[in-house]
Amino acid sequence: TRGPGRTPPSRWAKGTAAGQEAQETWYSAGPPPAGQPPATDGEGRPALKPLLLIGAGILAAIIIIVVIVVSIANRGSDSGAPAPSSSAAQPQASPGADGVVAENVSPFDFEAGQCFIDFQAATQSATVVTCDTPHAAQLVGTYFYEEAEEFPGKDALNVQAEEFCGAVDLNENAADYPNLRNSYGMPSEGTWEEGDRRIDCFVISDEGNTIKTSLVSE
């Protein structure tokens, strides 16, 4: 029984023999010897450290189970997601009634022979249509530099584009459209560093969507 004004023993103080000073320890002293009662906090209550360790272990196990369940659920929900496309274009399985084959096609994804409605420039995305749909431009040829070649410079690219595109033969349908002009797209130094090696040759109608056939020789 504790007398009035008596200071309770420190819960960290170890029992000592007469004449010895109490020694405080912050570390675990290990399990009690065989036959000895378990350690208490100095007031007859069991030490809390083992209980805390058990509780922490249970909590960690619960967290691991929750993480596994969430991971499995997410994997199941993503399994039907479509794979990312290399182009912003959304090709249709077959042309629609308006003749549209694909919209918002990147210039890097243009293919020789394709026809374009409302064509703006070689550097802008465009809508691909069937060539019997009234259109404003057609990609009639594409020249590729070797991957290992160094950037030749803007002037050299212009010369190459004029030579290659000027040599592209159009079919007899081109005679039905007197207001055609040639245009071409070519790499800049920046796009060259990103792997762009193509020169595109376009035939464009200045009258808008008036071409109703392919101008490429078979």
Side-chain angles (χ1 to χ4, degrees), residues 2-213:
R2 208 163 47 192
R6 184 177 177 183
T7 302
S10 169
R11 66 179 55 199
W12 297 106
K14 305 288 291 184
T16 58
Q20 293 181 345
E21 296 182 357
Q23 180 181 2
E24 296 183 356
T25 56
W26 53 268
Y27 53 85
S28 173
Q36 296 294 324
T40 67
D41 63 1
E43 297 182 359
R45 295 190 296 268
L48 296 179
K49 188 172 183 180
L51 296 179
L52 291 176
L53 291 176
I54 294 173
I58 294 175
L59 180 60
I62 293 174
I63 292 175
I64 292 174
I65 292 173
V66 171
V67 170
I68 293 174
V69 171
V70 172
S71 176
I72 293 174
N74 288 339
R75 186 181 305 171
S77 64
D78 292 342
S79 60
S85 172
S86 61
S87 170
Q90 298 297 325
Q92 300 178 4
S94 58
D98 55 0
V100 173
V101 176
E103 297 179 332
N104 197 32
V105 179
S106 165
F108 296 104
D109 294 327
F110 290 167
E111 297 179 5
Q114 287 182 330
C115 296
F116 307 95
I117 192 172
D118 299 326
F119 189 78
Q120 299 297 318
T123 57
Q124 297 184 17
S125 297
T127 298
V128 179
V129 296
T130 59
C131 288
D132 58 358
T133 300
H135 56 276
Q138 183 174 10
L139 177 56
V140 296
T142 299
Y143 175 86
F144 289 92
Y145 281 89
E146 295 293 334
E147 185 68 27
E149 290 188 63
E150 295 183 357
F151 182 67
K154 184 176 180 179
D155 291 341
L157 283 172
N158 275 313
V159 170
Q160 180 64 55
E162 290 177 358
E163 291 180 355
F164 174 74
C165 295
V168 173
D169 290 327
L170 304 180
N171 60 29
E172 64 277 7
N173 295 325
D176 297 331
Y177 303 95
N179 295 317
L180 298 178
R181 62 182 173 87
N182 296 326
S183 180
Y184 50 84
M186 60 184 184
S188 66
E189 187 171 3
T191 61
W192 186 281
E193 292 297 325
E194 296 173 356
D196 182 12
R197 297 290 188 277
R198 60 188 286 170
I199 292 176
D200 289 332
C201 306
F202 296 91
V203 172
I204 300 175
S205 170
D206 287 331
E207 297 178 350
N209 300 317
T210 58
I211 309 173
K212 299 180 181 180
T213 184

